[in-house]
């Protein structure tokens, strides 16, 4: 039996969310939160993290889980070129969760809200069999600066922020028996695990890409191949990816044997990187890359181009082409 | 193993949500929905329904569940005096759920969205152990017309819409063995079960109460005593409820033996009625009641008054007073 009532929990959440924030007329504790919506276009997004599906309670701290729960939603706002404003958290908690765990969970959400300059304004707590964290984020964007998935045109370049595959490597690493976690593995492994437990939403980068002329954009939650496929489907185009140019996360090569996985495979098909993939006219790429590097120390890599027709193509270093299979993280498929 | 992939599900949801709607710039299918926020104050609310806690899959149809999942959120918007605008659905689905069930679930949400003149603009689908339905609704309200829980003042009257206890009666009835479900029980029981599976959010009534001078308002999700206690805590006041005036749902008296419960007890402590409880100056009550009856055929009943100090008091028909224990539906407590 749990050691707190729903009202205890509500009171605790309220205390945690009690700070004043710009634009918040009324935060947690009433029937709903009251916020000021600006004169911008509104963005609404929601994402659910389920214990046993998206995370194991034994391998992520509640603080990291809370932080990640908000971050994955903010990443969707970033992928539209927008700014996150308000967050809501609906949480399901099993009997064996104790209050300090819940406090840490909210601590992580508040930390993420501070990271992204937004406010957590309320939510709902419930009993459940397993931990369920369902978060909603609203954002805003100037109508002229919106970037959807649907604007990619043949001949445009495909660019991606940061490096790929680290979160998938971290997931594999978290399953490696501890006796194999020797010095060099631990050293390279730390960054991979951090990518899994503390992803970063590319909010500033998304806005900079929008200003730099991005015609379509998506955040990489389910793997490059799968998410590029979604962008292409929306834009009604095909794409070619030069495999040699895909930016693979450092450490994956060194840990190839321990992880038992090909680094390029992790970069193409591993989920949860939350980097942004965008399409840009060729002439806009150098300036966009310079802006991202100077403003955010984030690298922008050109990895291929949009083509007429449909289908994804992988271009090998020798110039030969083959289909790029959009396998990726699928919560339902085999 | 389920008979569909996440992409199948996303495509289905998108098809269902594909219609055009006023204010929706971009609905389901991109990283986030794009909506126009008006010049009104924004309202944000979220509520989660968990299988085994809030409902059993065997005793509610997916259509009713979807309808209710949205309705309970709309009820929170109604309790602020606002209008619902946009909805998001995050859904967790176990392996044994088949596509037609999911289609029906969305069908119920869309039906509710139409009922309340709002748009379902997106969401997220996930694998889970049990069905989890986490919905978020945004609404808007004129800044001058907001009614929170915090404005009740001593001497003001306590009013409630509709009649109470039907949903709790329906819950008890759903556990009655089928051999006891004879003619008269079925006849009276139908309304109780409908109250449980198809609650109605009092949107128009909430706005009318706001215009009629309501000083505080809450929707009754966890029982009259408990929710009145919450309103009083927020308003920093106490309250007295005249037991003889509490409007008890018809049918509860007739089914007293079958349900094994006191009708007044169900009306005071049963959850999920989603009626509105408000405080009003005494002179404003008759006009408010007339408005609600003429515009919505909804009765408004005065059940007591706000008092100085703290604590809830029950006033018996003979005038004697005793504490009104705020026991109610608690997802965590014993």
């Amino acid at each position: 039996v749990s050691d707190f009532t729903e009202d205890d929990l509500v009171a605790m959440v309220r205390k945690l969310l009690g700070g004043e924030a710009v634009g918040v007329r009324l935060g947690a504790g009433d029937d709903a939160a009251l916020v000021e919506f600006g004169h911008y276009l509104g963005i609404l997004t929601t994402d659910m993290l389920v214990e046993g599906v998206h995370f194991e309670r034994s391998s992520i701290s509640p603080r990291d889980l809370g932080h990640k729960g908000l971050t994955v939603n903010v990443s969707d706002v970033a992928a539209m070129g927008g700014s996150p404003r308000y967050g809501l958290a609906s949480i399901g908690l099993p009997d064996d969760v104790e209050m300090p765990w819940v406090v840490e969970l909210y601590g992580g959400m508040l930390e993420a809200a501070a990271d992204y300059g937004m406010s957590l304004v309320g939510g709902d707590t419930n009993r459940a069999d397993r931990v369920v964290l369902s978060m909603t984020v609203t954002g805003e964007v100037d109508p002229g600066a919106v970037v959807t998935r649907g604007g990619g045109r043949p001949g445009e370049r495909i660019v991606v922020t940061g490096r790929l595959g680290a979160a998938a490597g971290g997931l594999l690493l978290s399953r490696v028996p501890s006796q194999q976690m020797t010095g060099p593995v631990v050293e390279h492994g730390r960054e991979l695990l951090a990518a899994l437990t503390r992803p970063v939403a590319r909010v500033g980068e998304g806005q900079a890409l929008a200003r730099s002329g991005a015609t379509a954009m998506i955040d990489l939650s389910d793997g490059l191949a799968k998410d590029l496929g979604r962008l292409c489907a929306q834009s009604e185009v095909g794409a070619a990816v030069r495999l040699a140019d895909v930016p693979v996360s450092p450490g994956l090569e060194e840990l190839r044997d321990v992880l038992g996985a090909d680094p390029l495979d992790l970069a193409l098909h591993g989920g949860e990187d939350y980097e942004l993939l965008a399409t840009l006219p060729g002439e806009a790429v150098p300036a966009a890359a310079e802006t991202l590097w100077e403003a955010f120390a984030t690298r922008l890599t050109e990895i291929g181009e949009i083509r007429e027709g449909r289908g994804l193509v992988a271009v090998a270093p020798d110039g030969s082409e083959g289909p790029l299979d959009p396998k990726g993280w699928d919560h339902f498929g085999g």
Side-chain angles (χ1 to χ4, degrees), chain A:
Chain A
V1 185
S2 63
D3 61 344
F4 51 92
T5 67
E6 190 181 0
D7 280 347
D8 288 344
L9 202 56
V10 168
M12 184 276 286
V13 169
R14 235 186 125 177
K15 216 170 279 179
L16 280 169
L17 305 186
E20 306 223 330
V22 176
V24 180
R25 294 283 188 99
L26 195 61
D30 214 296
D31 295 295
L34 282 175
V35 300
E36 291 162 12
F37 289 145
H39 295 282
Y40 293 93
L41 210 50
I43 298 174
L44 300 173
T45 188
T46 186
D47 253 308
M48 185 183 273
L49 298 179
V50 180
E51 183 181 356
V53 178
H54 303 92
F55 66 92
E56 297 297 337
R57 227 191 303 166
S58 58
S59 59
I60 187 166
S61 75
R63 183 164 286 266
D64 285 340
L65 179 62
H67 195 280
K68 184 171 178 174
L70 193 64
T71 297
V72 302
N73 280 284
V74 172
S75 183
D76 281 325
V77 173
M80 312 289 289
S83 303
R85 289 294 300 275
Y86 305 107
L88 295 166
S90 260
I91 301 173
L93 296 171
D95 270 356
D96 64 335
V97 166
E98 312 235 319
M99 189 65 99
W101 194 94
V102 183
V103 172
E104 278 294 295
L105 181 75
Y106 274 91
M109 290 190 274
L110 288 167
E111 209 180 304
D115 287 353
Y116 298 113
M118 57 178 292
S119 304
L120 207 57
V121 295
D124 182 35
T125 50
N126 303 277
R127 189 181 289 288
D129 254 21
R130 297 192 176 190
V131 174
V132 179
L133 179 54
S134 176
M135 302 209 60
T136 299
V137 168
T138 78
E140 55 186 35
V141 58
D142 189 276
V146 182
V147 185
T148 70
R149 295 178 183 174
R153 295 292 165 259
E156 290 178 346
R157 307 306 161 83
I158 301 166
V159 296
V160 69
T161 60
R163 304 216 239 187
L164 306 180
L171 187 62
L172 292 178
L173 194 67
S174 71
R175 296 170 184 160
V176 166
S178 57
Q179 60 268 31
Q180 289 183 43
M181 296 293 281
T182 56
V185 177
V186 171
E187 191 191 322
H188 289 298
R190 196 169 289 133
E191 216 166 317
L192 301 186
L193 290 171
L196 182 66
T197 53
R198 277 282 169 136
V200 175
R202 300 293 199 186
V203 176
E205 290 88 339
Q207 293 168 16
L209 283 166
R211 281 194 303 270
S212 297
T215 53
M217 191 150 60
I218 190 169
D219 67 320
L220 297 181
S221 55
D222 292 346
L224 167 61
K226 188 158 193 173
D227 288 322
L228 174 58
R230 287 173 171 153
L231 183 145
C232 286
Q234 241 5 64
S235 295
E236 303 184 346
V237 295
V241 173
R242 297 185 302 270
L243 297 181
D245 292 340
V246 172
V248 178
S249 284
L252 291 179
E253 190 57 49
E254 288 80 354
L255 298 185
R256 178 192 283 263
D257 293 340
V258 176
L259 300 177
D262 175 50
L264 182 60
D265 205 53
L266 294 175
L268 289 173
H269 305 295
E272 303 211 85
D273 281 321
Y274 299 105
E275 297 292 349
L276 294 176
L277 180 146
T279 56
L280 281 168
E283 64 275 17
V285 173
E290 197 180 320
T291 300
L292 257 63
W293 186 253
E294 295 197 341
F296 309 104
T298 299
R299 48 158 81 205
L300 188 74
T301 309
E302 185 184 318
I303 59 168
E305 62 183 26
I306 297 296
R307 290 186 173 176
E308 300 268 4
R310 292 299 178 96
L312 304 188
V313 166
V315 184
D318 67 3
S320 65
E321 299 191 354
L324 177 60
D325 179 32
K327 71 183 173 182
W329 179 263
D330 185 331
H331 305 307
F332 290 91

